Amino acid sequence: QSALTQPASVSGSPGQSITISCTGTSSDIGNYNLVSWYQQHPGKAPKLMIYEVTKRPSGVSDRFSASKSGNTASLTISGLQAEDEANYYCCSFAGISTVFGGGTKLTVL
Amino acid sequence: QVQLVESGGGVVQPGRSLRVSCAASGFTFSSYGMHWVRQAPGKGLEWVAIISYDGSDKYYADSVKGRFTISRDNSKNTLYLQMNSLRAEDTAVYYCARVLEGYSYVLGGDWGQGTLVTVSS
């Protein structure tokens, strides 16, 4: 049940694109196409942005996209907006457990 | 729409017990597995436990195994987390969350607003 590895912080200017990586193992990300990404603003509950590696829930902007290769998943946000500034967590199914990344703080400059 | 409302948080002394609850509405509670996820102040998300739709299967994070018990009462549409032998490091906001549609154990996007548990003398 080791945490997935994410960069602690990333930043970008409005209109730019950023990518957040998430590295796991063959027991979690590498073994299941069940990676999710959550956005969390301070004091709020997490919001699901991506599920099943690449799918967006209804209502989530198509500026958010994601992918997976081997044991690493990635979230890309294009056309950065001020409202995207938040913490982002990757999450993977791992059999009978669930594992999160440590979180990445996105700063929109 | 799906609504999950946690309650029961508060301040508790180390070594004592506390039970938090999650009242569900807006969906057929008895058809869905449910999770507890926690977040220590200023820290990241940590998965705590999962219970199957009928309560027959339960799994825990190593950090809480043997101390915490997840349960549910489908007649009351309520999920519980019984926390025993509490430690300072259990201080966190505790969220309940529903599994993803179509899955038994995969964490989904419907979460409550959380309830804060503070373990302190």
Side-chain angles (χ1 to χ4, degrees), chain B residues 18-104:
Chain B
L18 190 69
R19 188 180 79 165
V20 293
S21 303
C22 169
S25 61
F27 65 103
T28 305
F29 180 70
S30 59
S31 296
Y32 292 85
M34 296 292 296
H35 291 261
W36 285 103
V37 176
R38 68 183 181 182
Q39 185 170 35
K43 303 297 185 182
L45 300 171
E46 180 187 14
W47 176 76
V48 173
I50 169 77
I51 187 168
S52 59
Y53 71 99
D54 62 353
S56 61
D57 293 320
K58 306 173 186 181
Y59 301 104
Y60 300 90
D62 289 343
S63 58
V64 306
K65 199 173 297 182
R67 299 187 300 122
F68 288 14
T69 301
I70 188 172
S71 64
R72 63 192 299 159
D73 186 335
N74 285 344
S75 68
K76 296 182 178 179
N77 290 344
T78 303
L79 174 73
Y80 303 101
L81 185 67
Q82 176 68 43
M83 302 180 287
N84 298 332
S85 303
L86 282 162
R87 308 166 179 167
E89 54 264 36
D90 295 318
T91 294
V93 173
Y94 284 76
Y95 295 100
C96 63
R98 200 184 76 169
V99 299
L100 191 65
E101 191 75 47
Y103 289 92
S104 297

Side-chain angles (χ1 to χ4, degrees), chain A residues 1 38 40 45 52 89 96-98, chain B residues 39 47 60-62 103 108 112:
Chain A
Q1 296 181 351
Y38 292 87
Q40 187 181 35
E52 291 179 350
Y89 295 92
I96 59 173
S97 67
T98 295
Chain B
Q39 185 170 35
W47 176 76
Y60 300 90
D62 289 343
Y103 289 92

Side-chain angles (χ1 to χ4, degrees), chain A residues 74-89:
Chain A
S74 299
L75 173 71
T76 297
I77 309 173
S78 59
L80 271 178
Q81 299 179 1
E83 68 213 47
D84 299 333
E85 184 162 295
N87 289 306
Y88 291 84
Y89 295 92

